[in-house]
Amino acid sequence: MALIDLPLLMKDAVRGKRSAVTCQLKCASQCAFGECNHSDNPTFRDIASRALSRRTMLGGSTAAVAIGLAGTQGAFAAGGAAPAAPVGPAPALAPNGTALDFEAIAPVAADVDEFTVPEGFEWHTVIRWGDPLFDDAPEFDWNAQSAEAQKLQFGYNNDYTEIQEIPGSDGKRAVMFVNHEYTNENIMLPADTDADDAIEIGMAAHGLTVVELERKDAVSPYTYVKSAELNRRILLTDEFELTGPAAGDDLVKTVEDPEGRTVLGTLGNCAGGLTPWGTLLSGEENFHGYFRSAGTSEAEQRYGLRDSATARGWEGKYDRYDARIEGYENEPNRFGYIVEVDPFDPTSTPRKHTSLGRFKHEGANVIVAADGRVVAYSGDDEVFDYLYKFVSRDTYEEGNKKHNMTLLENGDLYVAKFTGKSPADEIDGSGKVPSDGSFDGTGEWLPLVVDGESKVEGFTVAEVLVHTRLAADKVGPTKMDRCEDVEPSLHTGRVYVACTNNSGRGTEGKAGVDEVNPRTENRDGHVVEIDEGDDQTSTEFSWNLLMVCGDPAQGDQTYFSGFPVDQVSPISCPDNLAFDSVGNLWISTDGAPSGIGYNDGLFRVTLDGEARGRVEQFLSVPMDGETCGPIIRDQDKTAFVSVQHPGEDGEWGAHTSYFPDFDGQGPKPSVIQVLPVKPENPFTDVKKGQEHYDAIIWAYENGIAKGYKDDTFRPLQPVNRDAMAAFLYRLAGSPEVDLPRSEPFKDVKKGQEHYTEIIWAYQMGITTGWSDRTFRPTQPIARDAMAAFVYRYAGSPEIAEPTTAPFTDVKPSMMYAKEIAWLKERGVSKGWSDGTYRPLNPMNRDATTAFLQRMATESNVAFRAG
């Protein structure tokens, strides 16, 4: 008998989304009960009909792109479906010069239980459900699970994931943060598991995990560190502090918390975001499915709370999950917020920020505006709900983490209203591109709370922040097709919104199509691009659709910003978003199997230039799995994803997936790293046995010398001064650099190659440049100057002036003789067999790696060690 009774109410309502099992366990089959938003806010069609004057778009980069691409979609944009065609050749590989170059994989059929990566890449499991995090945690045993063990093990269904390097670890250690969104006890636990035990194990598998990672070098995979100092499981019994204006209000008080300021646990944690000050944000999404409620009030109905038994039945064991019981009526009001966690402080209390509103947060992502305030964007992940923005009251202070951790406690809250440019009759529900060549328009952020005052008639500030959906309904925002992840680009300031799908759009009794949601029964979703004109605090914006998703080869009407539709990877149900180091957008999907019939995956999208809109599939996850938490570290040619609910449609004894171990036991949600297959020798012009071969390979494996895009190392090529700064910077562990307001060198400007490394070398006293304020970055560095760089790198240790020549061609009176003598004394340089050092010769790349290897592995020359 199943541990959880799954009536599968969604079996007839999952077109274009996940399995019925996932719907029941993840969001309590909300769509089967109809959308929660019954407000009569106008749709874009209504707005467009009243505003055919076509408001002029605001200025900004997005507007320029939209205008420049008008009319370039060609026959596919204006007419019917594109003919079936394979993914075609691309105008350019490695967009924007990213080091993560790959050839797109073909889509993988939805019944394939494999993790698929491009040729030349391999995947590794970083951590999986049940892995022990602490020394006193038992090894995972399918047949001997317990709540006490699970509390010490990695939780279930890893969703949002973030990895930050630990300062001072030379890039070899990191801390990872992971959400555990929900559980599926029917494939987790043996069928004869006691019902009470199933509840306790399931509860312990929820929550959050912080865990340390380590790796041998930059080209090796990470593994997790058992019992590391920062390891932490955050559980449903742990305290969370409520912050902001709603904290302490009567709406959030319960019999167990009469002060209304301390909540136990977090639920339904979906996506999240990394703050500029290094903390993690986690969105509480489908919390409603854990509570039984009277379901009679307007607020309860608006949030999907009902008087019916929950799937897991926690309310039968713990009163706090039964909001019908006196004293617990407000318990659901304490969930649905953005949670902030400090992963570097295991003793810290996580906080729930009421200022960002209460709804089904997919996540929240933060950017610092030009005036220093921080702006957080968040989507309400339900059909026909809204997009929100928070602007902090106070300003960001670089390096002041304590202050910055208060920024999300107070500020202004807005909800988005979009207006389209095209006539209403051109938005006919087919997804056909309007006659002006793009889906675009303007918008405004409607105020909910500003300067600490409610801007919604009849609502107090606390009511706006606790019943945010009801308050938003009053001001008339745009009903969206499930806003999931919302990510601002740190390269351009443009904001990207993944609207995953909405099969109810335009159907009987439901909101019709509009230009920002242009497709009836939107099975495959789309991505919105917002431009706020270089001011994230603005209340106005322009927008366009970056893509309307689907599979052109199957006849779907799609749009990819003018890029030829026969040259894209098919993509459906965009969910989580991320950016690489050069500004390319990456999209993970959730729901493609029931949309286009392929497993979900991770995709790269070019945002600018001739290839704007080009979609390339990087990986595919196993059967029934969802791709979550993408992390792109393209400098290291690596990416991470979390795979959640693999084998969701199986049951104990009849599993449909065996990922990631494929040992016949069953599926385990896992965090996966993808990286290039490690070659014995990555360079075509370096052969085993040649001089300095071992040093060159050492430098490559440790991320110090990366070689060239044509797979050459060019060992005899001189090292320029800028490259020498870069080598030493990487050897020091690539520390954070506070960039200056005024440039120290007149020939070194922001944006040029190795800029950060040169500034670091200057700030650390490694280089002073020339008296004319030049650095001369592309000038080869001579061997004597290199000795000076290395000497200063080590902290300029005290050493007597030489009285005898360290080398036959280095007299004690020569410039840098002391530094060269120190280099010889420490064993970093041995000179030539004829006793010379050749100080004015340029440093070649192979010799430089030899110097660096001896410094790090033989001579104990560490950064500023003295």
Side-chain angles (χ1 to χ4, degrees), residues 95-113:
N96 292 319
T98 176
L100 184 50
D101 192 8
F102 64 92
E103 186 171 335
I105 67 169
V108 178
D111 59 354
V112 175
D113 188 30

Side-chain angles (χ1 to χ4, degrees), residues 248-260:
D249 191 86
D250 287 346
L251 287 171
V252 294
K253 294 178 180 178
T254 69
V255 65
E256 293 184 12
D257 178 26
E259 298 298 318

Side-chain angles (χ1 to χ4, degrees), residues 754-838:
H754 304 316
Y755 170 80
T756 298
E757 294 91 330
I758 294 168
I759 296 301
W760 170 83
Y762 170 77
Q763 292 175 341
M764 297 299 107
I766 294 170
T767 180
T768 56
W770 270 264
S771 58
D772 63 357
R773 285 190 60 243
T774 62
F775 179 73
R776 307 177 191 178
T778 58
Q779 179 175 305
I781 189 167
R783 288 170 58 84
D784 60 351
M786 187 279 303
F789 273 40
V790 171
Y791 174 75
R792 298 168 193 155
Y793 170 92
S796 299
E798 291 189 11
I799 183 174
E801 296 287 342
T803 56
T804 60
F807 297 97
T808 59
D809 57 349
V810 178
K811 297 179 180 180
S813 60
M814 287 176 56
M815 180 180 288
Y816 303 134
K818 179 177 74 171
E819 290 87 344
I820 294 170
W822 172 83
L823 211 65
K824 180 180 180 182
E825 179 186 317
R826 295 300 296 267
V828 175
S829 176
K830 302 173 183 178
W832 267 265
S833 58
D834 63 0
T836 61
Y837 179 74
R838 307 179 190 180

Side-chain angles (χ1 to χ4, degrees), residues 58 416-418 442-445 530-532 539-543:
L58 299 173
K417 180 178 182 179
F418 295 79
T442 58
E444 57 184 315
W445 293 104
I530 292 174
D531 192 330
E532 295 176 296
T539 58
E540 296 183 304
F541 58 86
S542 61
W543 67 269

Side-chain angles (χ1 to χ4, degrees), residues 313-540:
W314 295 357
E315 70 275 15
K317 189 170 184 179
Y318 293 100
D319 287 352
R320 65 179 293 217
Y321 298 103
D322 192 338
R324 302 172 303 171
I325 297 175
E326 185 177 357
Y328 293 97
E329 297 90 344
N330 289 335
E331 190 67 28
N333 292 348
R334 295 146 63 84
F335 295 84
Y337 298 103
I338 290 297
V339 172
E340 184 175 13
V341 177
D342 184 356
F344 292 98
D345 183 0
T347 66
S348 61
T349 299
R351 292 170 301 152
K352 298 189 180 189
H353 294 303
T354 64
S355 279
L356 277 73
R358 173 176 166 266
F359 44 89
K360 295 179 183 178
H361 284 275
E362 171 74 12
N365 290 280
V366 174
I367 190 170
V368 180
D371 67 357
R373 290 184 289 172
V374 300
V375 179
Y377 301 89
S378 190
D380 190 345
D381 186 7
E382 190 158 317
V383 293
F384 302 113
D385 258 296
Y386 310 131
L387 174 67
Y388 294 85
K389 178 171 86 169
F390 167 85
V391 181
S392 69
R393 180 190 65 190
D394 302 321
T395 57
Y396 174 77
E397 296 179 7
E398 182 66 34
N400 190 346
K401 185 175 181 179
K402 182 177 179 181
H403 164 77
N404 294 333
M405 287 182 66
T406 68
L407 293 178
L408 302 183
E409 296 180 7
N410 294 282
D412 303 335
L413 186 63
Y414 300 88
V415 64
K417 180 178 182 179
F418 295 79
T419 301
K421 287 182 61 180
S422 302
D425 60 1
E426 291 193 8
I427 309 300
D428 60 7
S430 68
K432 176 182 174 182
V433 182
S435 58
D436 64 0
S438 60
F439 300 97
D440 56 4
T442 58
E444 57 184 315
W445 293 104
L446 306 175
L448 298 176
V449 174
V450 175
D451 294 333
E453 296 183 0
S454 169
K455 296 299 179 180
V456 183
E457 185 177 356
F459 282 73
T460 66
V461 170
E463 287 170 339
V464 171
L465 301 179
V466 175
H467 299 318
T468 309
R469 283 182 166 182
L470 290 174
D473 291 343
K474 296 288 187 180
V475 301
T478 301
K479 296 180 178 182
M480 302 294 287
D481 284 354
R482 289 190 57 207
C483 298
E484 296 229 23
D485 210 1
V486 186
E487 290 270 357
S489 168
L490 301 184
H491 290 260
T492 65
R494 297 187 299 234
V495 181
Y496 294 83
V497 185
C499 293
T500 196
N501 58 34
N502 182 355
S503 295
R505 173 69 65 177
T507 60
E508 185 177 356
K510 299 181 180 179
V513 294
D514 46 45
E515 195 160 355
V516 79
N517 303 284
R519 195 159 51 186
T520 300
E521 298 184 59
N522 183 11
R523 182 193 70 178
D524 297 308
H526 55 277
V527 177
V528 184
E529 183 180 62
I530 292 174
D531 192 330
E532 295 176 296
D534 299 323
D535 180 10
Q536 280 78 27
T537 68
S538 173
T539 58
E540 296 183 304

Side-chain angles (χ1 to χ4, degrees), residues 1-3 143 185-186 188-195 651-653:
M1 181 177 178
L3 296 171
N143 295 299
E185 285 78 355
N186 288 344
M188 293 169 60
L189 306 171
D192 61 355
T193 302
D194 178 79
E651 58 185 54
W652 187 266

